[in-house]
Amino acid sequence: SYDLTQTPSVSVSPGQTATITCFGDVLRKQYAYWFQQKPGQAPMVLIYKDTQRPSGIPERFSGSSSGTTVTLTVSGVQADDEADYYCQSVTSSGTDWVFGGGTKLTVL
Amino acid sequence: QVQLVQSGAEVKKPGASVKVSCQVSTYTINELSMHWVRQAPGKGHEWMGGFDPEEGDTVYAESFQGRVTMTVDTSTDTAYMTLSSLRPDDTAVYYCATVFPVPGWGQGTLVTVSS
């Protein structure tokens, strides 16, 4: 089992908006991070500290947080966005990292 | 994002040790809180340990206690992760990663443990 819970899969058509959610008690007090991972590739951070976007990440990737839920929104989905998306946070002690099981985004 | 470049793939026999390196650029190693994560084939991400800036010390996941050591070389801005007493189920891609002060992941190092 995972400390953070994600919906296993989301499917959207190109140009539509994909919403990926992550639930966990730790999210009430700790920041969330989102990364994209394609087969055979390293993770790429899309969002850090709930809502911040690293340089080079398109504005159509955005993050939000409310209570024990964080959300990654991908606007104007493109075929290249097809990948696995993971949320990450830390335990209440602030040291151990925890991960969600991942959400597979399929672009129809 | 911070740039993290890891060492190449390794093949080890059961019982051996492996040392994976992670060189930092655009920041110094002292500016980062470096962690290590592994991902076994077809599995999720497993946190192994990392530097806790509040404690000023490295914290290891309970499941790796006694088998893993994480060190840094400030002269070369390189972090190292050594895993000993390797077993076949240690076969995985090992990543260095950081979220503080900026996020970033290395490209990963495949470690294969096989007799």
Side-chain angles (χ1 to χ4, degrees):
Chain A
S1 64
Y2 296 95
D3 293 275
L4 302 176
T5 302
Q6 297 182 238
T7 304
S9 63
V10 169
S11 300
V12 296
S13 300
Q16 299 297 306
T17 296
T19 301
I20 299 172
T21 54
C22 174
F23 310 89
D25 288 340
V26 297
L27 297 176
R28 192 183 297 279
K29 292 186 177 181
Q30 301 289 356
Y31 285 124
Y33 302 79
W34 288 97
F35 58 86
Q36 177 194 73
Q37 191 170 26
K38 296 181 178 180
Q41 296 186 19
M44 180 173 67
V45 177
L46 302 173
I47 298 291
Y48 68 105
K49 293 185 178 179
D50 292 346
T51 61
Q52 304 301 303
R53 198 170 41 248
S55 61
I57 300 301
E59 290 183 8
R60 56 196 188 81
F61 291 95
S62 62
S64 62
S65 175
S66 178
T68 59
T69 302
V70 292
T71 302
L72 172 70
T73 302
V74 187
S75 304
V77 166
Q78 302 175 0
D80 188 53
D81 296 332
E82 189 162 283
D84 293 321
Y85 293 81
Y86 296 88
C87 58
Q88 177 214 329
S89 187
V90 298
T91 56
S92 55
S93 65
T95 54
D96 301 18
W97 287 13
V98 291
F99 297 92
T103 297
K104 182 174 182 58
L105 174 62
T106 299
V107 182
L108 301 171
Chain B
Q1 304 187 35
V2 60
Q3 301 297 318
L4 306 174
V5 179
Q6 299 184 220
S7 49
E10 302 263 12
V11 179
K12 296 292 183 181
K13 293 193 182 301
S17 297
V18 68
K19 188 173 186 177
V20 179
S21 69
C22 171
Q23 182 156 31
V24 176
S25 60
T26 70
Y27 284 80
T28 67
I29 193 79
N30 283 332
E31 294 177 289
L32 304 177
S33 175
M34 190 68 73
H35 290 247
W36 292 85
V37 175
R38 76 177 184 181
Q39 187 176 27
K43 302 293 186 181
H45 301 86
E46 184 178 20
W47 177 76
M48 301 178 68
F51 185 75
D52 180 352
E54 290 194 4
E55 293 293 326
D57 201 0
T58 300
V59 179
Y60 299 119
E62 193 171 326
S63 56
F64 294 98
Q65 285 278 0
R67 273 209 310 146
V68 69
T69 305
M70 297 172 188
T71 59
V72 297
D73 183 340
T74 56
S75 67
T76 60
D77 288 319
T78 303
Y80 297 93
M81 186 282 298
T82 301
L83 186 63
S84 61
S85 302
L86 288 169
R87 308 183 290 255
D89 63 358
D90 288 319
T91 295
V93 177
Y94 290 75
Y95 295 100
C96 56
T98 182
V99 296
F100 180 83
V102 292
W105 288 66
Q107 84 275 19
T109 297
L110 175 62
V111 175
T112 302
V113 183
S114 173
S115 55

